[in-house]
Amino acid sequence: MKFTLHNLRMIRARLRQNGWVLAELFLVFIVMWFLCDSLGCLKYTYYRPLGFDIEHVYQLELVMGGESRDTSLTNADKFLGVLKKLQQEPTVEAVALCYWSLPMSGNNSFNSLVAQDSCWVNARLIMTTGGYVDVFRMKDDPRHPFREMASGEKHVMLSEATVERFRRKIPSFSSDMPLGNGDSLTVISHEGMIENFRTYRYGNDAACFFYRLDEHMVKTEYSGEWGSIVFRVKAAADGADYRAKFVREIAARLDTDNLFIADATPYTQQQYQFEVMNGDIDKVNSQSVVVLFLLVNVFLGLIGTFWFRTRRRRSEIALRMAMGSTRRQVFGLLAGEGLLLLTLVALPAMLVCYNIGIAEFTIGRTELIATWPVKWSIPRFLLGSLGAWLMIAWMVLTGIWFPARQAMKIEPAEALHEE
């Protein structure tokens, strides 16, 4: 306590000289909070679990060419033929046929369902066979697995994000509550829930309606449509050469009529391609360059300020050492004063930062703060503030340590003579 009071007296005695330092620290804290918040949200978004697994997952690249040998076969028949043959491959763990439903593909379809005739929720449609959840290892209710859900448009399984949307409007919403599509005669059974997942790395938790397709529905509803087939390879069978081996040895066995297998693309490659096409990679790179540029400028400016400030106090350092202070005590005094200056400006600067965040999320949601899909909250604000304080504290101590160390090497008499 005495140490803090002594430093406060020193700051007050030099209030005129410390005024510009306090002003600089105030502005630097706000900038550093923005940098820490941006970097923290970026890292959190990047490393946050997707909610599904794309390792060992491949998507078939299909080509339709030449005349059909059996004109009675529809596109659905051919896709189902490929699906059945793929299921019999010993290296394959799970397969799925779907329509406009793959994550990170850009092909989407949406619809709305209603609860209690007034609560509408819009979400993406996932129209797929039962193996979809197993291919991507999504987490459904083991008591009501998706693969065993009744097929057709009168049975639906909701993603957790969709359930949360309904519950925000109807707090009592549960799986027992029937849904509808606006037609008073149609009742859609809510069969369960699939835990939260994101359809791509920089997205929010996805709101989806899952419908299971059986063979009859594929043939009657999607006979002329072009589907997508994905499959999961057993981990022991997968490897760097699996793709080439698949094309060389397996693809020919899967060909059905004039539907041919051209390739099997790893889904990790599909993820990267989608992020490039969606602009996420450019967005991340641009954000990183801006943050790095600001960070370097703040680092150099702040270190320079405290370097210059400490060098001007060489005579004070020499006098303290002449009066019996040790190097550790002198450095502790200077460092304590610098950290106290930072702490004094941190509280008003945090107030400004908090109001910036509140304004961004309640008024405009501009690119300044709401860049990443991370919910604005008190923990997010406090973590950003703590990160800013620690970063600036490190810069302050670095700016003090080296010139103070140099000043302590000079004989006290020499320093006082120069003064």
Side-chain angles (χ1 to χ4, degrees), residues 245-261:
K245 182 179 178 182
F246 181 92
V247 174
R248 185 176 62 252
E249 300 178 7
I250 301 175
R253 297 201 295 266
L254 305 180
D255 294 341
T256 302
D257 195 51
N258 63 337
L259 182 63
F260 305 101
I261 313 302

Side-chain angles (χ1 to χ4, degrees), residues 113-121 166 169-170:
L113 293 181
V114 62
Q116 295 185 346
D117 297 327
S118 60
C119 175
W120 288 88
V121 168
F166 274 114
K169 299 181 178 181
I170 306 176

Side-chain angles (χ1 to χ4, degrees), residues 65 251 380:
R380 171 181 166 179

Side-chain angles (χ1 to χ4, degrees), residues 61 103 123 148 166 208 238 243 271 278 283 334 349 398:
E61 290 188 16
E148 297 178 7
F166 274 114
C208 297
D238 198 11
R243 183 180 185 180
Q271 179 186 36
N278 201 45
K283 189 176 181 181
L334 296 173
T398 303

Side-chain angles (χ1 to χ4, degrees), residues 1-48:
M1 190 65 182
K2 280 186 177 182
F3 179 76
T4 303
L5 290 173
H6 179 63
N7 271 320
L8 284 172
R9 292 192 196 100
M10 290 175 61
I11 292 171
R12 184 180 178 184
R14 297 187 180 88
L15 190 58
R16 200 166 185 179
Q17 295 91 334
N18 287 327
W20 63 277
V21 178
L22 289 169
E24 180 181 4
L25 285 172
F26 179 80
L27 294 174
V28 164
F29 190 94
I30 295 173
V31 173
M32 191 61 69
W33 172 81
F34 165 69
L35 298 181
C36 291
D37 182 76
S38 298
L39 282 174
C41 292
L42 172 60
K43 291 297 182 183
Y44 173 80
T45 302
Y46 187 86
Y47 291 107
R48 179 185 167 200

